[in-house]
């Protein structure tokens, strides 16, 4: 399947489709029309048809989409149809939260190593995995096939650690550190800047309050 | 300041401006040109000028922006110029990670209550705050001024809990639960769907790998 020409906006919506289709499967739903899916997802039916047309031939007029087929195909596009090893840098609260988040395993992401800079954490077990020191990362990556690293270290260590990761073959960084990473072209980054997200919420709340004041 | 006509895209970028301006302040920088800011933020200088023009009069030709002034004004727009109380629903790993995230306090968000459905967690202290049961939420909200709730409960409890929150006056929900919330118009929601974020990373990684194979 050639996904090169699919717009970023459509790609951005695929994980959400994947989530809804997974729920439908769990409920035992085999087929769904774009109208029914539209109602569930609060997207227009025409957007759904347009989005899914990008991948060709998933739907049949008057017959609806085959949920399992669509789920499987979107899973392939997203790369979640196979196990992907992940290492975690930063065994603090957020790192531990990620390590314990079962949703990730359901999606094929398997945490195989956890590293930190704090010697006090060495050997502590999180979900059965003993925390190692970051100095052990090169050896670990040499002996294990891992392309994805989640970065939950403080900002002050993140840039330096990223360099170490990339030098040792990491190709994808899931960045929770509070900075924008400077990456070579052959490494992908997905940022989760939590405090920016909270500020967006705060902005919208303030707007809402202003509007209500105006209405009196 | 009238921010009604500012596009969503600009608003979406404000938290990032705010972060960079905060760093500049910490470094003792008093003035910055759009060109310097452009280099730091990897946004074109013309975009920066356009974005900041929305708020009127921040910059002076040939003189640059007053960092403190810009930081303060954007902070007001984002509503982070005053303390905002937050309650947390879900005292699991993710809830604890959020409770311990110092960045939030720096932005004026103050966690004043932590609630869970699990009786085993009752009374456990997280950052000095004793976990209460969700049944205590109505009383708590009656006696405390809180508009924002962070939701880190499992999906199965999230919808029901949201109803309880809204009924008791919560106006903004920071949703980490793995579902889309069904909200009245006078409540704002900001979703952080972590597994969707990880899938976007996975998609981009797979695209990268495909491209490299093609190049041989």
């Amino acid at each position: 399947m050639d996904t090169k020409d699919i717009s970023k906006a459509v790609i951005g919506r695929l994980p959400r489709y994947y989530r809804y289709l997974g729920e439908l499967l769990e409920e035992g739903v085999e087929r769904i029309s774009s109208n029914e899916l539209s109602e569930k997802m609060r997207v227009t039916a025409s957007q759904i048809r347009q989005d899914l047309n990008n991948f060709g031939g998933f739907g049949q007029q008057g017959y609806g989409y085959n949920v399992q087929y669509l789920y499987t195909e979107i899973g392939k596009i997203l790369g979640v149809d196979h196990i992907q090893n992940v290492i975690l840098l930063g065994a603090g609260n957020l790192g531990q939260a990620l390590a314990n988040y079962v949703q990730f395993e359901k999606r094929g992401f398997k945490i195989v190593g956890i590293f930190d800079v704090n010697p006090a954490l060495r050997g502590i077990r999180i979900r059965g995995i003993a925390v190692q020191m970051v100095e052990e990362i090169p050896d670990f990556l040499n002996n294990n096939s891992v392309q994805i690293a989640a970065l939950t270290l403080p900002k002050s260590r993140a840039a330096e650690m990223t360099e170490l990761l990339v030098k040792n073959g990491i190709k994808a960084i899931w960045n929770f550190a509070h900075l924008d990473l400077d990456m070579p072209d052959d490494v992908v980054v997905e940022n989760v800047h939590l405090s920016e997200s909270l500020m967006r919420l705060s902005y919208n709340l303030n707007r809402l309050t202003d509007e209500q004041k105006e209405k009196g």
Side-chain angles (χ1 to χ4, degrees), chain A:
Chain A
M1 179 165 306
D2 192 0
T3 56
K4 255 186 283 185
D5 302 321
I6 300 171
S7 80
K8 239 181 147 173
V10 178
I11 296 303
R13 288 193 286 269
L14 284 187
R16 190 154 175 269
Y17 282 112
Y18 192 73
R19 170 155 61 90
Y20 273 89
L21 292 164
E23 285 172 13
L24 289 169
L25 279 182
E26 277 171 21
E27 292 162 15
V29 177
E30 290 180 10
R31 306 199 71 89
I32 191 159
S33 69
S34 49
N35 285 327
E36 289 165 310
L37 198 53
S38 154
E39 207 165 300
K40 256 187 146 11
M41 293 184 61
R42 280 130 206 262
V43 188
T44 65
S46 92
Q47 164 144 77
I48 288 179
R49 284 190 295 267
Q50 256 178 40
D51 282 354
L52 300 180
N53 269 346
N54 276 298
F55 310 104
F58 286 168
Q60 267 174 276
Q61 194 79 44
Y63 192 57
Y65 295 101
N66 178 321
V67 176
Q68 177 68 63
Y69 179 73
L70 200 48
Y71 181 78
T72 307
E73 290 303 308
I74 293 180
K76 280 185 206 164
I77 295 165
L78 294 174
V80 293
D81 57 332
H82 58 283
I83 303 281
Q84 298 189 82
N85 291 336
V86 177
I87 60 168
L88 239 164
L89 256 77
N93 283 295
L94 186 56
Q96 293 193 30
L98 295 183
N100 285 297
Y101 205 34
V102 289
Q103 286 294 336
F104 301 144
E105 290 210 349
K106 267 176 78 178
R107 301 287 182 246
F109 299 100
K110 189 178 166 198
I111 294 175
V112 293
I114 303 176
F115 301 86
D116 204 291
V117 292
N118 179 359
L121 296 175
R122 185 200 293 271
I124 285 179
R125 287 187 169 269
I126 302 169
R127 275 209 126 186
I129 298 169
V131 175
Q132 297 178 266
M133 294 297 97
V134 291
E135 293 74 24
E136 303 170 78
I137 288 177
D139 256 10
F140 186 90
L141 291 179
N142 219 0
N143 294 315
N144 295 274
S145 169
V146 186
Q147 292 193 293
I148 304 176
L151 201 58
T152 61
L153 284 169
K155 189 168 92 173
S156 56
R157 304 303 298 267
E160 158 202 4
M161 286 303 133
T162 308
E163 213 180 300
L164 177 78
L165 291 171
V166 171
K167 206 190 279 175
N168 287 282
I170 288 294
K171 291 288 169 206
I173 294 182
W174 198 25
N175 177 39
F176 288 78
H178 204 232
L179 84 173
D180 299 313
L181 298 172
D182 199 0
M183 284 292 108
D185 284 346
D186 62 343
V187 177
V188 295
V189 179
E190 167 87 13
N191 292 310
V192 184
H193 288 324
L194 292 178
S195 71
E196 294 186 14
S197 165
L198 186 53
M199 283 192 267
R200 277 193 298 273
L201 182 68
S202 163
Y203 170 80
N204 288 321
L205 173 62
N206 279 279
R207 273 298 309 279
L208 186 77
T209 314
D210 287 349
E211 275 171 24
Q212 286 172 340
K213 270 187 210 148
E214 277 169 30
K215 278 186 199 160

